[in-house]
């Protein structure tokens, strides 16, 4: 096998939500595989921190904030990236939010806010960056889905609906754009420990249940998503599109574990 198929040398990647958790791990992983990476999010301090780590790996970047809920900020990000690098080869949509609320009492504001960030925000970003990719006839788009794309977890209905929508949107864009050189896929992570969820996973009955339902008997490490992202972003996946690739330690395969 020619392992150069997995190299991202000469590629330019943009990662929304790319400064924390899964997004940060993927941003640094793409840089390690040879790509220049623009890791963007809403907070400048976090953007600067990850940019420094990307540069420490010998890659180029931009220190730019953006908000997937504001189309103009995405258009500004695209323009600045094109001005600096001349192209965008890879787009990773990691920006997202979640809140646990009983569905019966969920407000329209909460529902709409989660959908606007997770699903509509992904659509906006795909539209803004996809146009440039379609004009070039090349692109790799990777959306972040979830276990909630396939199964329900209690009291996160808005998040689950948004992530189910991500898998559907991924297929729709793949059907429309793949003939024009833009492959669109998704990654559905299982339960991964991050700074935001560590206390929930380690100290609550919900965390214990999630662990019990994961056949590998442990939670994922964010760096364990990097190989999947590199694969889908690389020429090794040149005939892969419309796929949601699950990385979950066996969670979806699980029935009774004890």
């Amino acid at each position: 096998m020619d392992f150069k198929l997995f190299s991202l040398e000469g590629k330019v990647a943009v990662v929304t939500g790319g400064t924390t958790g899964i997004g940060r791990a993927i941003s640094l992983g793409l840089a390690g595989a040879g790509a220049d990476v623009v890791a963007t999010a809403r907070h400048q301090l976090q953007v600067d921190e990850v940019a420094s780590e990307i540069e420490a790996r010998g890659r180029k970047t931009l220190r730019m904030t953006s908000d997937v809920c504001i189309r103009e900020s995405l258009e500004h990000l695209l323009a600045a990236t094109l001005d600096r690098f001349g192209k965008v080869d890879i787009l990773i949509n990691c920006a997202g939010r979640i809140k646990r609320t009983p569905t019966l009492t969920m407000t329209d504001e909460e529902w709409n806010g989660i959908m606007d960030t997770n699903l509509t925000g992904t659509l906006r970003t795909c539209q803004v960056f996809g146009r440039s990719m379609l004009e070039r006839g090349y692109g790799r788009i990777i959306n972040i889905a979830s276990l909630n794309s396939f199964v329900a977890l209690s009291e996160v209905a808005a998040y689950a609906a948004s992530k189910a929508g991500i898998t559907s949107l991924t297929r729709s864009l793949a059907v429309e754009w793949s003939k024009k050189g833009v492959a669109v896929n998704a990654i559905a992570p299982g339960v991964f420990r991050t700074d935001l969820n560590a206390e929930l996973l380690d100290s609550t009955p919900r965390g214990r249940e999630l662990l019990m339902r994961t056949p590998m008997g442990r939670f994922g490490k964010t760096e364990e998503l990097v190989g999947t992202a590199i694969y889908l972003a690389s020429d090794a996946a040149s005939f892969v599109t419309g796929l949601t690739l699950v990385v979950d330690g066996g969670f979806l395969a699980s029935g009774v574990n004890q």
Side-chain angles (χ1 to χ4, degrees):
M1 175 181 286
D2 182 2
F3 287 101
K4 291 182 180 178
L5 285 172
F6 295 92
S7 173
L8 300 181
E9 290 285 343
K11 303 295 186 183
V12 177
V14 172
V15 185
T16 66
T19 62
T20 58
I22 288 170
R24 176 182 175 275
I26 290 176
S27 294
L28 298 179
L30 297 181
D36 295 322
V37 181
V38 179
T40 182
R42 293 180 298 164
H43 302 294
Q44 188 67 56
L45 179 60
Q46 293 174 337
V47 168
D48 290 340
E49 289 174 349
V50 176
S52 294
E53 293 185 78
I54 291 168
E55 290 170 340
R57 287 162 170 75
R59 309 314 308 170
K60 299 174 183 176
T61 188
L62 289 177
R63 286 170 161 78
M64 289 200 63
T65 60
S66 67
D67 187 337
V68 298
C69 294
I70 302 173
R71 186 177 295 271
E72 291 76 11
S73 81
L74 297 171
E75 291 172 343
H76 182 55
L77 174 65
L78 172 63
T81 305
L82 293 178
D83 183 63
R84 175 69 175 85
F85 298 104
K87 62 176 182 174
V88 176
D89 300 294
I90 302 159
L91 172 67
I92 318 283
N93 288 304
C94 290
R97 54 183 285 199
I98 186 172
K99 182 179 179 183
R100 185 175 182 181
T101 305
T103 306
L104 185 63
T105 57
M106 183 187 306
T107 65
D108 288 355
E109 181 181 15
E110 182 178 327
W111 174 276
N112 292 335
I114 290 172
M115 295 296 286
D116 192 41
T117 297
N118 296 2
L119 181 54
T120 311
T122 295
L123 172 63
R124 279 190 202 97
T125 312
C126 287
Q127 287 175 325
V128 170
F129 285 83
R131 185 180 302 276
S132 173
M133 291 177 170
L134 290 165
E135 289 173 352
R136 286 184 60 223
Y138 181 88
R140 298 286 185 268
I141 296 175
I142 304 171
N143 300 320
I144 300 300
S146 169
L147 289 179
N148 272 161
S149 300
F150 308 99
V151 297
L153 304 184
S154 178
E155 297 184 340
V156 288
Y159 180 81
S162 72
K163 291 300 184 176
I166 290 292
T167 61
S168 180
L169 176 63
T170 297
R171 289 190 294 266
S172 293
L173 294 180
V175 168
E176 292 185 40
W177 293 358
S178 294
K179 288 182 180 178
K180 300 175 183 178
V182 179
V184 187
N185 293 290
I187 299 172
V191 186
F192 283 76
R193 179 184 278 105
T194 68
D195 292 340
L196 294 178
N197 69 11
E199 183 176 355
L200 180 147
L201 295 183
D202 296 338
S203 307
T204 69
R206 192 180 183 92
R208 289 191 289 274
E209 182 177 355
L210 290 168
L211 183 61
M212 180 190 71
R213 290 175 177 271
T214 303
M216 281 194 174
R218 64 176 178 85
F219 300 123
K221 303 173 185 176
T222 54
E223 58 266 27
E224 290 180 298
L225 290 164
V226 170
T228 304
I230 291 172
Y231 165 65
L232 291 175
S234 74
D235 290 339
S238 59
F239 199 56
V240 178
T241 195
L243 171 71
T244 296
L245 206 163
V246 179
V247 184
D248 70 346
F251 189 106
L252 291 182
S254 175
V256 176
N257 285 324
Q258 57 184 340

